[in-house]
Amino acid sequence: MLKALSYQRVVIVPPGLQEKTTIQGNKLDEIYVSTFVRYISSLAFSYTPATARRQFDELLLHFDPTAYPRGKTTFYNLAEKVADTQVTQVFYLNRITVNTETKKIEIEGTRRQYIDDRKVEDGKKNYYIDYTILNGRFYIMAIAESAAEGVSPGHIQEEAQKGK
């Protein structure tokens, strides 16, 4: 019976996966991680005032339990700022760099922000994701705009004040 259990496999298919991928213990291949990152980035970086809270709730399901409190505070504060300032943001992903050894991901793309149909920002942006793999599952440890800071809701508030 124990020998049979050691050959047991669990199949996990993240949203958007269209290629074959392999999961061995706590090691995932780059295809799996890249697919998951596309899903996560759509939840975290493209939103409207009407969808932000719901998207962030879904995003928080993928945070490691130890990182959840910080992520919840950050993204709930961001949801409030988005609702207050009526900011809509779109992020077009251009490149994903995955370092499976350090479990760090760099996302490069173009971020556009709008307030009342007026574009307030249009430029290149990099985001950084620290992750961990526990029992074959991808968990977010941190999402940051730079290597040294967390996602900054203050940027949205600053842009909203400029636009008023």
Side-chain angles (χ1 to χ4, degrees), residues 33-68:
V33 175
S34 293
T35 301
F36 215 86
V37 166
R38 289 181 191 285
Y39 168 64
I40 288 168
S41 67
S42 70
L43 292 173
F45 310 130
S46 293
Y47 47 77
T48 68
T51 65
R53 176 74 66 156
R54 187 174 63 246
Q55 284 179 222
F56 297 160
D57 282 341
E58 188 173 339
L59 175 67
L60 288 168
L61 294 174
H62 302 288
F63 269 74
D64 180 82
T66 60
Y68 180 85

mmCIF file of all heavy atoms in Angstrom, residues 33-68:
data_model
loop_
_atom_site.group_PDB
_atom_site.id
_atom_site.type_symbol
_atom_site.label_atom_id
_atom_site.label_comp_id
_atom_site.label_asym_id
_atom_site.label_seq_id
_atom_site.Cartn_x
_atom_site.Cartn_y
_atom_site.Cartn_z
ATOM 1 N N VAL A 33 5.035 28.031 -14.025
ATOM 2 C CA VAL A 33 5.214 29.293 -13.308
ATOM 3 C C VAL A 33 4.812 30.471 -14.193
ATOM 4 O O VAL A 33 4.091 31.372 -13.773
ATOM 5 C CB VAL A 33 6.658 29.442 -12.779
ATOM 6 C CG1 VAL A 33 6.867 30.802 -12.160
ATOM 7 C CG2 VAL A 33 6.971 28.348 -11.768
ATOM 8 N N SER A 34 5.243 30.477 -15.453
ATOM 9 C CA SER A 34 4.907 31.567 -16.368
ATOM 10 C C SER A 34 3.397 31.676 -16.585
ATOM 11 O O SER A 34 2.849 32.782 -16.613
ATOM 12 C CB SER A 34 5.599 31.369 -17.718
ATOM 13 O OG SER A 34 6.984 31.495 -17.571
ATOM 14 N N THR A 35 2.723 30.549 -16.730
ATOM 15 C CA THR A 35 1.272 30.557 -16.911
ATOM 16 C C THR A 35 0.583 31.117 -15.676
ATOM 17 O O THR A 35 -0.332 31.933 -15.771
ATOM 18 C CB THR A 35 0.758 29.134 -17.211
ATOM 19 O OG1 THR A 35 1.403 28.662 -18.390
ATOM 20 C CG2 THR A 35 -0.745 29.122 -17.419
ATOM 21 N N PHE A 36 1.036 30.691 -14.524
ATOM 22 C CA PHE A 36 0.444 31.178 -13.281
ATOM 23 C C PHE A 36 0.700 32.666 -13.099
ATOM 24 O O PHE A 36 -0.166 33.403 -12.623
ATOM 25 C CB PHE A 36 0.973 30.376 -12.086
ATOM 26 C CG PHE A 36 -0.043 30.182 -11.017
ATOM 27 C CD1 PHE A 36 -0.936 29.134 -11.067
ATOM 28 C CD2 PHE A 36 -0.127 31.069 -9.967
ATOM 29 C CE1 PHE A 36 -1.892 28.970 -10.083
ATOM 30 C CE2 PHE A 36 -1.073 30.915 -8.977
ATOM 31 C CZ PHE A 36 -1.965 29.860 -9.036
ATOM 32 N N VAL A 37 1.877 33.128 -13.493
ATOM 33 C CA VAL A 37 2.216 34.541 -13.381
ATOM 34 C C VAL A 37 1.305 35.389 -14.267
ATOM 35 O O VAL A 37 0.869 36.474 -13.876
ATOM 36 C CB VAL A 37 3.706 34.781 -13.719
ATOM 37 C CG1 VAL A 37 4.000 36.242 -13.937
ATOM 38 C CG2 VAL A 37 4.566 34.230 -12.601
ATOM 39 N N ARG A 38 0.995 34.922 -15.453
ATOM 40 C CA ARG A 38 0.068 35.648 -16.333
ATOM 41 C C ARG A 38 -1.302 35.796 -15.661
ATOM 42 O O ARG A 38 -1.908 36.857 -15.704
ATOM 43 C CB ARG A 38 -0.083 34.929 -17.676
ATOM 44 C CG ARG A 38 1.143 35.028 -18.529
ATOM 45 C CD ARG A 38 0.956 34.332 -19.869
ATOM 46 N NE ARG A 38 2.213 34.210 -20.561
ATOM 47 C CZ ARG A 38 2.834 35.196 -21.172
ATOM 48 N NH1 ARG A 38 2.314 36.390 -21.183
ATOM 49 N NH2 ARG A 38 3.985 34.995 -21.777
ATOM 50 N N TYR A 39 -1.760 34.740 -15.043
ATOM 51 C CA TYR A 39 -3.039 34.759 -14.327
ATOM 52 C C TYR A 39 -2.984 35.737 -13.145
ATOM 53 O O TYR A 39 -3.862 36.584 -12.984
ATOM 54 C CB TYR A 39 -3.349 33.334 -13.863
ATOM 55 C CG TYR A 39 -4.471 33.206 -12.874
ATOM 56 C CD1 TYR A 39 -5.776 33.547 -13.219
ATOM 57 C CD2 TYR A 39 -4.236 32.711 -11.599
ATOM 58 C CE1 TYR A 39 -6.807 33.407 -12.301
ATOM 59 C CE2 TYR A 39 -5.254 32.568 -10.689
ATOM 60 C CZ TYR A 39 -6.534 32.918 -11.043
ATOM 61 O OH TYR A 39 -7.546 32.777 -10.135
ATOM 62 N N ILE A 40 -1.929 35.651 -12.353
ATOM 63 C CA ILE A 40 -1.771 36.520 -11.194
ATOM 64 C C ILE A 40 -1.663 37.984 -11.613
ATOM 65 O O ILE A 40 -2.271 38.863 -11.014
ATOM 66 C CB ILE A 40 -0.535 36.104 -10.368
ATOM 67 C CG1 ILE A 40 -0.822 34.796 -9.650
ATOM 68 C CG2 ILE A 40 -0.126 37.183 -9.383
ATOM 69 C CD1 ILE A 40 0.405 34.149 -9.053
ATOM 70 N N SER A 41 -0.886 38.256 -12.653
ATOM 71 C CA SER A 41 -0.696 39.648 -13.080
ATOM 72 C C SER A 41 -2.001 40.244 -13.604
ATOM 73 O O SER A 41 -2.251 41.431 -13.416
ATOM 74 C CB SER A 41 0.420 39.768 -14.109
ATOM 75 O OG SER A 41 0.090 39.141 -15.308
ATOM 76 N N SER A 42 -2.847 39.425 -14.225
ATOM 77 C CA SER A 42 -4.139 39.964 -14.673
ATOM 78 C C SER A 42 -5.020 40.338 -13.487
ATOM 79 O O SER A 42 -5.765 41.318 -13.548
ATOM 80 C CB SER A 42 -4.858 38.977 -15.599
ATOM 81 O OG SER A 42 -5.312 37.855 -14.884
ATOM 82 N N LEU A 43 -4.930 39.589 -12.404
ATOM 83 C CA LEU A 43 -5.707 39.907 -11.204
ATOM 84 C C LEU A 43 -5.157 41.125 -10.471
ATOM 85 O O LEU A 43 -5.908 41.965 -9.983
ATOM 86 C CB LEU A 43 -5.722 38.720 -10.232
ATOM 87 C CG LEU A 43 -6.472 37.475 -10.665
ATOM 88 C CD1 LEU A 43 -6.243 36.352 -9.665
ATOM 89 C CD2 LEU A 43 -7.953 37.753 -10.835
ATOM 90 N N ALA A 44 -3.840 41.233 -10.399
ATOM 91 C CA ALA A 44 -3.211 42.269 -9.578
ATOM 92 C C ALA A 44 -3.040 43.606 -10.284
ATOM 93 O O ALA A 44 -3.091 44.643 -9.635
ATOM 94 C CB ALA A 44 -1.846 41.788 -9.086
ATOM 95 N N PHE A 45 -2.849 43.598 -11.592
ATOM 96 C CA PHE A 45 -2.408 44.818 -12.266
ATOM 97 C C PHE A 45 -3.369 45.380 -13.313
ATOM 98 O O PHE A 45 -3.092 46.419 -13.887
ATOM 99 C CB PHE A 45 -1.035 44.590 -12.906
ATOM 100 C CG PHE A 45 -0.020 44.000 -11.966
ATOM 101 C CD1 PHE A 45 0.718 42.892 -12.330
ATOM 102 C CD2 PHE A 45 0.190 44.545 -10.708
ATOM 103 C CE1 PHE A 45 1.653 42.341 -11.469
ATOM 104 C CE2 PHE A 45 1.117 43.995 -9.836
ATOM 105 C CZ PHE A 45 1.850 42.891 -10.222
ATOM 106 N N SER A 46 -4.464 44.706 -13.598
ATOM 107 C CA SER A 46 -5.472 45.233 -14.531
ATOM 108 C C SER A 46 -6.824 45.193 -13.833
ATOM 109 O O SER A 46 -7.338 44.113 -13.526
ATOM 110 C CB SER A 46 -5.530 44.388 -15.809
ATOM 111 O OG SER A 46 -4.341 44.510 -16.546
ATOM 112 N N TYR A 47 -7.393 46.380 -13.564
ATOM 113 C CA TYR A 47 -8.631 46.435 -12.791
ATOM 114 C C TYR A 47 -9.376 47.732 -13.062
ATOM 115 O O TYR A 47 -8.835 48.690 -13.607
ATOM 116 C CB TYR A 47 -8.351 46.304 -11.287
ATOM 117 C CG TYR A 47 -7.232 47.201 -10.808
ATOM 118 C CD1 TYR A 47 -7.429 48.573 -10.610
ATOM 119 C CD2 TYR A 47 -5.968 46.684 -10.582
ATOM 120 C CE1 TYR A 47 -6.400 49.394 -10.192
ATOM 121 C CE2 TYR A 47 -4.923 47.503 -10.160
ATOM 122 C CZ TYR A 47 -5.154 48.856 -9.967
ATOM 123 O OH TYR A 47 -4.134 49.664 -9.560
ATOM 124 N N THR A 48 -10.621 47.733 -12.647
ATOM 125 C CA THR A 48 -11.464 48.928 -12.665
ATOM 126 C C THR A 48 -11.977 49.125 -11.240
ATOM 127 O O THR A 48 -11.884 48.208 -10.416
ATOM 128 C CB THR A 48 -12.663 48.769 -13.616
ATOM 129 O OG1 THR A 48 -13.544 47.775 -13.068
ATOM 130 C CG2 THR A 48 -12.223 48.378 -15.019
ATOM 131 N N PRO A 49 -12.568 50.280 -10.938
ATOM 132 C CA PRO A 49 -13.134 50.447 -9.588
ATOM 133 C C PRO A 49 -14.189 49.382 -9.257
ATOM 134 O O PRO A 49 -14.305 48.970 -8.100
ATOM 135 C CB PRO A 49 -13.756 51.847 -9.645
ATOM 136 C CG PRO A 49 -12.943 52.572 -10.664
ATOM 137 C CD PRO A 49 -12.606 51.528 -11.706
ATOM 138 N N ALA A 50 -14.911 48.913 -10.262
ATOM 139 C CA ALA A 50 -15.966 47.917 -10.025
ATOM 140 C C ALA A 50 -15.412 46.512 -9.806
ATOM 141 O O ALA A 50 -16.054 45.694 -9.153
ATOM 142 C CB ALA A 50 -16.940 47.910 -11.194
ATOM 143 N N THR A 51 -14.219 46.208 -10.327
ATOM 144 C CA THR A 51 -13.695 44.839 -10.242
ATOM 145 C C THR A 51 -12.539 44.662 -9.263
ATOM 146 O O THR A 51 -12.195 43.529 -8.947
ATOM 147 C CB THR A 51 -13.213 44.360 -11.620
ATOM 148 O OG1 THR A 51 -12.089 45.158 -12.031
ATOM 149 C CG2 THR A 51 -14.324 44.423 -12.657
ATOM 150 N N ALA A 52 -11.946 45.735 -8.801
ATOM 151 C CA ALA A 52 -10.709 45.640 -8.016
ATOM 152 C C ALA A 52 -10.862 44.753 -6.779
ATOM 153 O O ALA A 52 -10.067 43.830 -6.573
ATOM 154 C CB ALA A 52 -10.220 47.030 -7.612
ATOM 155 N N ARG A 53 -11.857 44.986 -5.957
ATOM 156 C CA ARG A 53 -12.000 44.225 -4.705
ATOM 157 C C ARG A 53 -12.170 42.729 -4.991
ATOM 158 O O ARG A 53 -11.532 41.895 -4.365
ATOM 159 C CB ARG A 53 -13.188 44.762 -3.901
ATOM 160 C CG ARG A 53 -13.499 44.009 -2.625
ATOM 161 C CD ARG A 53 -12.531 44.257 -1.529
ATOM 162 N NE ARG A 53 -12.609 45.633 -1.078
ATOM 163 C CZ ARG A 53 -12.244 46.027 0.119
ATOM 164 N NH1 ARG A 53 -11.811 45.164 1.001
ATOM 165 N NH2 ARG A 53 -12.300 47.284 0.443
ATOM 166 N N ARG A 54 -13.011 42.400 -5.960
ATOM 167 C CA ARG A 54 -13.262 40.995 -6.287
ATOM 168 C C ARG A 54 -11.983 40.327 -6.822
ATOM 169 O O ARG A 54 -11.657 39.212 -6.451
ATOM 170 C CB ARG A 54 -14.402 40.898 -7.299
ATOM 171 C CG ARG A 54 -14.872 39.503 -7.586
ATOM 172 C CD ARG A 54 -16.101 39.456 -8.475
ATOM 173 N NE ARG A 54 -15.832 40.014 -9.799
ATOM 174 C CZ ARG A 54 -16.386 41.121 -10.287
ATOM 175 N NH1 ARG A 54 -17.265 41.789 -9.577
ATOM 176 N NH2 ARG A 54 -16.094 41.552 -11.495
ATOM 177 N N GLN A 55 -11.256 41.025 -7.686
ATOM 178 C CA GLN A 55 -10.014 40.487 -8.226
ATOM 179 C C GLN A 55 -8.971 40.295 -7.134
ATOM 180 O O GLN A 55 -8.282 39.277 -7.097
ATOM 181 C CB GLN A 55 -9.455 41.407 -9.310
ATOM 182 C CG GLN A 55 -10.189 41.302 -10.609
ATOM 183 C CD GLN A 55 -9.632 42.237 -11.659
ATOM 184 O OE1 GLN A 55 -10.380 42.846 -12.363
ATOM 185 N NE2 GLN A 55 -8.326 42.362 -11.753
ATOM 186 N N PHE A 56 -8.856 41.264 -6.232
ATOM 187 C CA PHE A 56 -7.873 41.157 -5.165
ATOM 188 C C PHE A 56 -8.241 40.024 -4.200
ATOM 189 O O PHE A 56 -7.359 39.347 -3.679
ATOM 190 C CB PHE A 56 -7.713 42.483 -4.429
ATOM 191 C CG PHE A 56 -7.188 43.601 -5.308
ATOM 192 C CD1 PHE A 56 -7.368 44.910 -4.937
ATOM 193 C CD2 PHE A 56 -6.518 43.345 -6.501
ATOM 194 C CE1 PHE A 56 -6.888 45.951 -5.730
ATOM 195 C CE2 PHE A 56 -6.033 44.372 -7.304
ATOM 196 C CZ PHE A 56 -6.220 45.689 -6.909
ATOM 197 N N ASP A 57 -9.542 39.801 -3.968
ATOM 198 C CA ASP A 57 -9.965 38.665 -3.146
ATOM 199 C C ASP A 57 -9.494 37.351 -3.776
ATOM 200 O O ASP A 57 -8.994 36.466 -3.083
ATOM 201 C CB ASP A 57 -11.493 38.629 -2.988
ATOM 202 C CG ASP A 57 -12.012 39.615 -1.968
ATOM 203 O OD1 ASP A 57 -11.224 40.081 -1.114
ATOM 204 O OD2 ASP A 57 -13.220 39.938 -2.028
ATOM 205 N N GLU A 58 -9.651 37.238 -5.086
ATOM 206 C CA GLU A 58 -9.210 36.031 -5.796
ATOM 207 C C GLU A 58 -7.687 35.910 -5.759
ATOM 208 O O GLU A 58 -7.144 34.827 -5.582
ATOM 209 C CB GLU A 58 -9.709 36.058 -7.240
ATOM 210 C CG GLU A 58 -9.459 34.772 -7.984
ATOM 211 C CD GLU A 58 -10.105 34.746 -9.358
ATOM 212 O OE1 GLU A 58 -11.053 35.519 -9.608
ATOM 213 O OE2 GLU A 58 -9.649 33.944 -10.191
ATOM 214 N N LEU A 59 -6.992 37.015 -5.921
ATOM 215 C CA LEU A 59 -5.535 37.022 -5.863
ATOM 216 C C LEU A 59 -5.033 36.546 -4.500
ATOM 217 O O LEU A 59 -4.091 35.755 -4.410
ATOM 218 C CB LEU A 59 -5.000 38.433 -6.148
ATOM 219 C CG LEU A 59 -3.500 38.642 -6.005
ATOM 220 C CD1 LEU A 59 -2.736 37.867 -7.069
ATOM 221 C CD2 LEU A 59 -3.172 40.130 -6.080
ATOM 222 N N LEU A 60 -5.670 37.004 -3.439
ATOM 223 C CA LEU A 60 -5.234 36.657 -2.081
ATOM 224 C C LEU A 60 -5.350 35.159 -1.783
ATOM 225 O O LEU A 60 -4.656 34.646 -0.906
ATOM 226 C CB LEU A 60 -6.011 37.472 -1.051
ATOM 227 C CG LEU A 60 -5.632 38.948 -1.001
ATOM 228 C CD1 LEU A 60 -6.647 39.736 -0.177
ATOM 229 C CD2 LEU A 60 -4.229 39.138 -0.457
ATOM 230 N N LEU A 61 -6.172 34.453 -2.527
ATOM 231 C CA LEU A 61 -6.273 32.998 -2.373
ATOM 232 C C LEU A 61 -4.953 32.306 -2.718
ATOM 233 O O LEU A 61 -4.723 31.172 -2.310
ATOM 234 C CB LEU A 61 -7.381 32.435 -3.260
ATOM 235 C CG LEU A 61 -8.804 32.852 -2.927
ATOM 236 C CD1 LEU A 61 -9.766 32.337 -3.991
ATOM 237 C CD2 LEU A 61 -9.206 32.356 -1.551
ATOM 238 N N HIS A 62 -4.105 32.976 -3.458
ATOM 239 C CA HIS A 62 -2.842 32.394 -3.912
ATOM 240 C C HIS A 62 -1.645 32.855 -3.091
ATOM 241 O O HIS A 62 -0.512 32.538 -3.430
ATOM 242 C CB HIS A 62 -2.629 32.711 -5.396
ATOM 243 C CG HIS A 62 -3.755 32.206 -6.233
ATOM 244 N ND1 HIS A 62 -3.954 30.868 -6.490
ATOM 245 C CD2 HIS A 62 -4.775 32.857 -6.832
ATOM 246 C CE1 HIS A 62 -5.042 30.720 -7.224
ATOM 247 N NE2 HIS A 62 -5.556 31.911 -7.439
ATOM 248 N N PHE A 63 -1.889 33.589 -2.008
ATOM 249 C CA PHE A 63 -0.807 34.006 -1.117
ATOM 250 C C PHE A 63 -0.502 32.894 -0.118
ATOM 251 O O PHE A 63 -1.414 32.204 0.353
ATOM 252 C CB PHE A 63 -1.196 35.281 -0.358
ATOM 253 C CG PHE A 63 -0.801 36.550 -1.051
ATOM 254 C CD1 PHE A 63 -1.492 36.992 -2.166
ATOM 255 C CD2 PHE A 63 0.274 37.300 -0.599
ATOM 256 C CE1 PHE A 63 -1.132 38.148 -2.820
ATOM 257 C CE2 PHE A 63 0.649 38.467 -1.245
ATOM 258 C CZ PHE A 63 -0.056 38.892 -2.359
ATOM 259 N N ASP A 64 0.767 32.754 0.214
ATOM 260 C CA ASP A 64 1.174 31.838 1.267
ATOM 261 C C ASP A 64 0.524 32.298 2.574
ATOM 262 O O ASP A 64 0.423 33.507 2.815
ATOM 263 C CB ASP A 64 2.704 31.882 1.396
ATOM 264 C CG ASP A 64 3.213 30.949 2.468
ATOM 265 O OD1 ASP A 64 3.354 29.745 2.167
ATOM 266 O OD2 ASP A 64 3.467 31.421 3.602
ATOM 267 N N PRO A 65 0.081 31.376 3.421
ATOM 268 C CA PRO A 65 -0.569 31.784 4.679
ATOM 269 C C PRO A 65 0.263 32.758 5.521
ATOM 270 O O PRO A 65 -0.291 33.638 6.167
ATOM 271 C CB PRO A 65 -0.792 30.464 5.413
ATOM 272 C CG PRO A 65 -0.906 29.447 4.317
ATOM 273 C CD PRO A 65 0.040 29.916 3.240
ATOM 274 N N THR A 66 1.575 32.630 5.501
ATOM 275 C CA THR A 66 2.407 33.544 6.284
ATOM 276 C C THR A 66 2.474 34.932 5.648
ATOM 277 O O THR A 66 2.718 35.916 6.338
ATOM 278 C CB THR A 66 3.843 32.997 6.450
ATOM 279 O OG1 THR A 66 4.435 32.840 5.155
ATOM 280 C CG2 THR A 66 3.837 31.666 7.182
ATOM 281 N N ALA A 67 2.268 35.025 4.338
ATOM 282 C CA ALA A 67 2.321 36.312 3.629
ATOM 283 C C ALA A 67 0.941 36.930 3.466
ATOM 284 O O ALA A 67 0.827 38.091 3.074
ATOM 285 C CB ALA A 67 2.959 36.113 2.254
ATOM 286 N N TYR A 68 -0.102 36.176 3.787
ATOM 287 C CA TYR A 68 -1.472 36.635 3.575
ATOM 288 C C TYR A 68 -1.809 37.942 4.309
ATOM 289 O O TYR A 68 -2.374 38.850 3.687
ATOM 290 C CB TYR A 68 -2.465 35.535 3.969
ATOM 291 C CG TYR A 68 -3.900 35.941 3.766
ATOM 292 C CD1 TYR A 68 -4.512 35.798 2.536
ATOM 293 C CD2 TYR A 68 -4.637 36.479 4.815
ATOM 294 C CE1 TYR A 68 -5.830 36.166 2.336
ATOM 295 C CE2 TYR A 68 -5.960 36.865 4.629
ATOM 296 C CZ TYR A 68 -6.543 36.702 3.399
ATOM 297 O OH TYR A 68 -7.839 37.085 3.208
#
